[in-house]
Amino acid sequence: MTPAELSRTVVRAVRSAVDEGALGAIGGMVPETVKVERPRPGGGGDYASGIALKLAAATGRPPREVAEVLRARIAGRPGIALVEISGPGFLNITLERDVQCGVVRQVLASPAAYGYGDALRGEAYDFAAVAEERARIVVEVVVRLLRSQGAAARIVPEAEVEAEGAPGEVLAVVPCPTPGLAGLVGLVGGDAARWALLRAARHDRPRIDVEALLAQRESNPLFRVRYAYSRSRALTRNALQLGFTAEPGAVPEGERLLGLLRDHPGVLEGAARHRAPDRLARHLEAVADELLRFQHAVLPLGDEKPSAAHRSRLALAEAAGTVLAGGLSLLGIDAPELL
């Protein structure tokens, strides 16, 4: 269950409570979507939502009372193991473990399209072609992100913009000016240059440090992301040599990595909506860092025989590698299997 699917589950619970009169008449306050996010410090579960606090004013009831009404309805939904109330009225939601495994299965079943969706279907975006290097790369990636979420997006040539009958509104993506780009690709290569220009938010100036961009060590974020992907492929090869393959299952020690994979569809949607490739780049760094920590538990040690736990851990590592490769592809960056 992805955050988007959980959001729809919570929305259905709110509508159910309203239809049954459990929350009274709140009119147009029934939300189209509900934000779910990682629990704040002190909260439990896999996800949390503050929807009860938002509805409290409309219902005239204390937030915790509203949360209790919603808790009872969310707890009975498929895939939900537990719903608790914390603080002034936050809902903390724990997913069933089988649902967690389903995320890994989903990633491995659609490796080229995990995280793609239709949240922006029906929307169309035309972007002006630009010559400045950073703006050109940002526009190119934003178009890919929008298409990944179902939108129609394209880059409109200057001649078409100026021609009679050109599209009504042609959008412009104008990052903060970045002096000193001339020759950067020649110095560090296309992938490293692209990462440097995309990793910074559009309103920030990228840090152009040639030595850091070329460093083949973990202090270089791009190296970590690509290295983590190559490690996921190496784990698969090593497992085959030991006579076993991946099989999704429960991985208690991999909860943090699994959570990052669940977040991936929401990250792609947010990056598309806000035209912010840097959000995807930062997410890939987080996935890579967690995979590099997790990798040491994947293969049997010493005389240990491969078990169901090893197969489940391998499946999670492969899924993480898949997300890394797919994210780098959206950024236009290569993901080498051997590094």
Side-chain angles (χ1 to χ4, degrees):
M1 180 178 291
T2 66
E5 292 169 336
L6 180 57
S7 173
R8 290 192 287 270
T9 295
V10 177
V11 168
R12 286 193 290 269
V14 173
R15 288 177 179 163
S16 172
V18 171
D19 291 344
E20 296 169 11
L23 290 178
I26 62 175
M29 288 297 295
V30 177
E32 291 293 328
T33 61
V34 169
K35 183 178 181 180
V36 294
E37 57 189 348
R38 294 302 186 89
R40 299 180 182 183
D46 298 310
Y47 289 100
S49 174
I51 182 60
L53 284 72
K54 293 185 177 181
L55 294 176
T59 63
R61 299 184 182 187
R64 287 187 68 91
E65 185 176 320
V66 175
E68 180 56 42
V69 171
L70 299 178
R71 185 203 65 77
R73 286 162 174 76
I74 297 171
R77 304 278 174 166
I80 305 298
L82 178 68
V83 183
E84 299 174 294
I85 301 171
S86 66
F90 288 102
L91 293 166
N92 295 95
I93 303 170
T94 301
L95 304 179
E96 292 180 350
R97 296 305 102 181
D98 287 345
V99 173
Q100 304 276 31
C101 301
V103 172
V104 174
R105 293 191 182 96
Q106 186 179 353
V107 176
L108 298 179
S110 55
Y114 177 67
Y116 287 36
D118 58 2
L120 301 180
R121 187 170 302 282
E123 299 187 22
Y125 301 85
D126 289 328
F127 294 92
V130 289
E132 196 274 330
E133 186 69 3
R134 186 185 180 196
R136 181 185 63 77
I137 290 174
V138 170
V139 169
E140 173 193 316
V141 175
V142 166
V143 166
R144 285 202 198 105
L145 289 167
L146 288 166
R147 289 174 177 172
S148 79
Q149 301 307 305
R154 63 173 184 156
I155 299 173
V156 181
E158 184 178 353
E160 185 175 338
V161 174
E162 295 175 351
E164 184 178 354
E169 181 184 9
V170 179
L171 304 170
V173 175
V174 184
C176 175
T178 308
L181 289 183
L184 181 62
V185 172
L187 290 172
V188 302
D191 286 341
R194 181 175 281 263
W195 177 269
L197 301 180
L198 293 170
R199 174 58 178 79
R202 292 207 318 269
H203 56 271
D204 292 334
R205 179 174 296 179
R207 296 181 60 185
I208 306 301
D209 184 331
V210 172
E211 183 177 348
L213 290 172
L214 287 173
Q216 297 300 294
R217 52 180 180 267
E218 293 190 12
S219 60
N220 179 351
L222 176 58
F223 174 81
R224 288 203 310 276
V225 172
R226 299 171 88 180
Y227 177 62
Y229 169 70
S230 72
R231 286 299 305 147
S232 75
R233 303 305 301 142
L235 290 171
T236 299
R237 294 192 298 269
N238 293 340
L240 285 173
Q241 293 173 353
L242 293 173
F244 74 100
T245 57
E247 177 61 38
V251 187
E253 64 273 44
E255 287 297 321
R256 179 170 171 77
L257 181 56
L258 189 59
L260 290 168
L261 302 191
R262 287 199 311 264
D263 292 345
H264 187 64
V267 170
L268 289 188
E269 182 182 338
R273 286 187 183 278
H274 297 280
R275 305 171 198 167
D278 58 290
R279 294 188 177 201
L280 174 56
R282 289 194 299 273
H283 178 66
L284 296 181
E285 288 180 27
V287 173
D289 290 345
E290 195 57 38
L291 175 56
L292 290 174
R293 281 190 285 269
F294 175 75
Q295 63 167 326
H296 305 291
V298 173
L299 299 177
L301 299 176
D303 296 331
E304 188 180 10
K305 300 297 183 182
S307 65
H310 293 110
R311 291 191 288 273
S312 297
R313 294 171 194 155
L314 178 62
L316 178 55
E318 288 184 352
T322 296
V323 165
L324 292 174
L328 286 173
S329 178
L330 281 171
L331 295 177
I333 296 174
D334 182 45
E337 290 198 12
L338 299 174
L339 192 63

